[in-house]
Every structure is written in C-alpha cells, then in structure tokens.
Amino acid sequence: MASMGYLTARIYTSSAQLPVRDATVAVTQTTATGTKQLATRVTDESGRITTLGIPTPDLQESLAPGTAVPYTTVSLTVEYPGYERVLIQGVQVFPGILTEQEVELLPLEELPQVYNMTELIEIPS
C-alpha cells in the first residue's frame, strides 16, 4: 500500500534570501512510461508554494536490506521572468515526512551569458 510524503519549496534570491513572489514551480516525476506532471504552483509573498502530497512507497517495504528505496524522487523546475531557470532532479520525498526544497534564483543581468539556459542541480541517492 502506498503512503504519502509531502513537499514544499521556498524560492528566494540573493544571499539575503529575499523571497520571490509569483515564481512558477512545476513538479514532475519520471516513470517507466515517461515524465508525469504532478503539479504546478505559484509562490506566495513569502516565496513558498503550498504543500503537495506525493505518493511514496510504504515505509514497511524498505526496512529490510535489498528492498525498495524508502522514498519517491521528483523534479522541480522553477521559473521567474528576469531570473535564471532552475531544474532540480532527484528531490527525495519520504513517507510521512515534509520535504522542503530551497531554491536560489540568480538575476539574468548578473549572468547575461545564461539567457535561455537552465541551471541543473542533481541530488544523488
């Protein structure tokens, strides 16, 4: 039986961690049949998205060696006009746990060579 884990994200800019309001956050999952869109959210005035429920493997299925991984992996794509697009792959969502992914956006005027490019961040197992 599948369990539920929870995911939220906080989007900010600069080392002062100023929240980015109205950034678009797309949450996807890669399956055997392709990529599935789980949700698209827009950040609020604090730079956060509403919490998403993500189906995860049951915790009991991962308690013995050699069994399934105890989490589900998803990807987040964050976009905001005038800022570098960020793709984070391998975000781990565990059953019964709230995962908070923090994402720092860089203004494009600081890095004009990255217009139309995506910063890729891969989280290892």
Side-chain angles (χ1 to χ4, degrees), residues 33-92:
T33 58
T35 301
K36 179 170 75 170
Q37 180 90 16
L38 299 179
T40 300
R41 296 287 190 267
V42 175
T43 57
D44 62 16
E45 63 278 349
S46 64
R48 296 182 182 277
I49 62 168
T50 56
T51 301
L52 302 169
I54 307 284
T56 61
D58 187 48
L59 184 59
Q60 300 301 322
E61 295 175 10
S62 64
L63 296 179
T67 57
V69 294
Y71 55 83
T72 294
T73 57
V74 297
S75 296
L76 272 68
T77 303
V78 181
E79 296 182 283
Y80 187 74
Y83 287 78
E84 180 180 34
R85 181 180 331 124
V86 177
L87 170 60
I88 302 175
Q89 296 178 327
V91 176
Q92 300 165 4

